[in-house]
Amino acid sequence: MTETTPQDPDLPLPPIDLIQLPESYGTFETNFYKHLQSLILTDSLGPVLQKLHPDGQYGIGHNCAIYWQLDRPERAAEAPDWFYVPNVSPTLDGKIRNSYILWRDLFTPAVILEFPTGNGDKERDRTPYQGKFWIYEWVMKSFSYAIYEVNNAKLEVYRWYPPYYHKLEPNEHGRYLIGSLGVELGLWLGTYQNLKEQLWLRWWDSEGNLLLIGDEKAKLEQQRAEQAEQTAAKLAEQLRALGIDPDAENP
C-alpha cells in the first residue's frame, strides 16, 4: 500500500488568521538544556547563513510550531527542538512569526534537529499522521533529520532520499555532512555557560574547523592580540640589544 501525505495542494486555504495560531501545543516539551543547545547551533551558524542568504531570507526555529495539516491546523503541528528553513522571510505579513505554516510558505524545513533527554522513542515514532518521524519523513520531507539523545550521548542523522529517510554513517571524524548548509554536524565536549563538561551538538566547516560561537570568537581575538603584543615586545628587545631604539622616530 502506498502512503500519501494528508494535504492536497488543490484545496482552498481555510479562512483562519495565520498570525493567531497558538505558539504552544499540548505535546510540546522543553528543558534547560535545549535552550542553550539551540543558542550554540544558531550563534555559530551565523556566518554560514549570511553567506548562503545575503538577503536574510531564511528562518530558524527553536521549539516553534510547524503547522502541517491544511484542514485541521490547530490539531496537526510539530515543534522541533531546532530547524532551518531556507528562502523564507523571518516575518509573516510584516509581523514576527508565531509559527511556521507549511502550506502557506511552501518551503519545507531543510534541517530538523531533535535533542530529547529520554530514549528518543517519540522522535523515532513512525505512526502515520501522529509520529514525529513519519511526519518529518512523509509530510515535511526535510532533507536532514538528526536525533541526539542527550543523556545517552547518541547521535543519529538521517538523509531524505525520496521517499524515505536513510540513516547515515559518520565520517572518520564521527561527524555527518549536512548538505543544505555545507557543514558537518557532530558532538563536542566542553562547557557552555553554567553547564560544564557536556556533549553538545556543534557545526564544523568542510575543512574540519569548529564553527565558533561569540564568546569563543572573542577569546580567540584576545589571544591573537596578546600574541601580537608579545611578538612586538620581543622584537623591541632584540632591537635594543643591537643598540637600536624601537621607539625612535625615523628621520
Side-chain angles (χ1 to χ4, degrees), residues 175-190:
R175 302 194 289 264
Y176 302 84
L177 177 64
I178 306 299
S180 55
L181 288 168
V183 297
E184 294 179 351
L185 180 68
L187 297 178
W188 172 84
L189 180 63

Side-chain angles (χ1 to χ4, degrees), residues 37-55:
Q37 175 64 89
S38 297
L39 289 177
I40 290 177
L41 290 167
T42 305
D43 184 7
S44 59
L45 200 59
V48 174
L49 294 172
Q50 186 175 12
K51 184 177 180 180
L52 289 174
H53 306 285
D55 58 358

Side-chain angles (χ1 to χ4, degrees), residues 47-203:
V48 174
L49 294 172
Q50 186 175 12
K51 184 177 180 180
L52 289 174
H53 306 285
D55 58 358
Q57 296 298 290
Y58 66 90
I60 297 289
H62 158 49
N63 202 37
C64 177
I66 303 176
Y67 289 91
W68 57 268
Q69 189 166 333
L70 184 63
D71 54 349
R72 303 182 74 181
E74 73 283 357
R75 295 190 178 185
E78 288 297 332
D81 290 327
W82 190 95
F83 65 91
Y84 154 70
V85 188
N87 305 316
V88 298
S89 171
T91 60
L92 181 63
D93 296 334
K95 299 179 181 180
I96 298 297
R97 289 179 181 270
N98 290 334
S99 57
Y100 186 71
I101 316 299
L102 193 60
W103 68 86
R104 161 73 182 261
D105 292 288
L106 302 180
F107 290 98
T108 187
V111 182
I112 291 179
L113 307 179
E114 297 278 10
F115 15 97
T117 51
N119 59 13
D121 284 352
K122 291 181 179 179
E123 289 69 25
R124 298 184 184 88
D125 187 352
R126 299 172 185 259
T127 304
Y129 301 98
Q130 297 180 18
K132 281 191 174 187
F133 198 102
W134 187 92
I135 293 169
Y136 295 160
E137 182 178 44
W138 286 97
V139 180
M140 299 186 192
K141 302 176 182 178
S142 299
F143 299 129
S144 298
Y145 174 39
I147 303 170
Y148 171 43
E149 295 178 25
V150 178
N151 290 331
N152 297 324
K154 180 181 179 181
L155 175 61
E156 293 179 2
V157 178
Y158 298 84
R159 179 73 168 88
W160 192 72
Y161 293 102
Y164 304 109
Y165 273 136
H166 295 262
K167 187 177 178 180
L168 301 180
E169 293 296 326
N171 62 20
E172 64 273 21
H173 304 293
R175 302 194 289 264
Y176 302 84
L177 177 64
I178 306 299
S180 55
L181 288 168
V183 297
E184 294 179 351
L185 180 68
L187 297 178
W188 172 84
L189 180 63
T191 298
Y192 182 64
Q193 294 194 14
N194 60 339
L195 286 183
K196 299 181 179 180
E197 294 304 307
Q198 172 69 47
L199 281 171
W200 304 92
L201 283 175
R202 296 290 301 263
W203 309 109

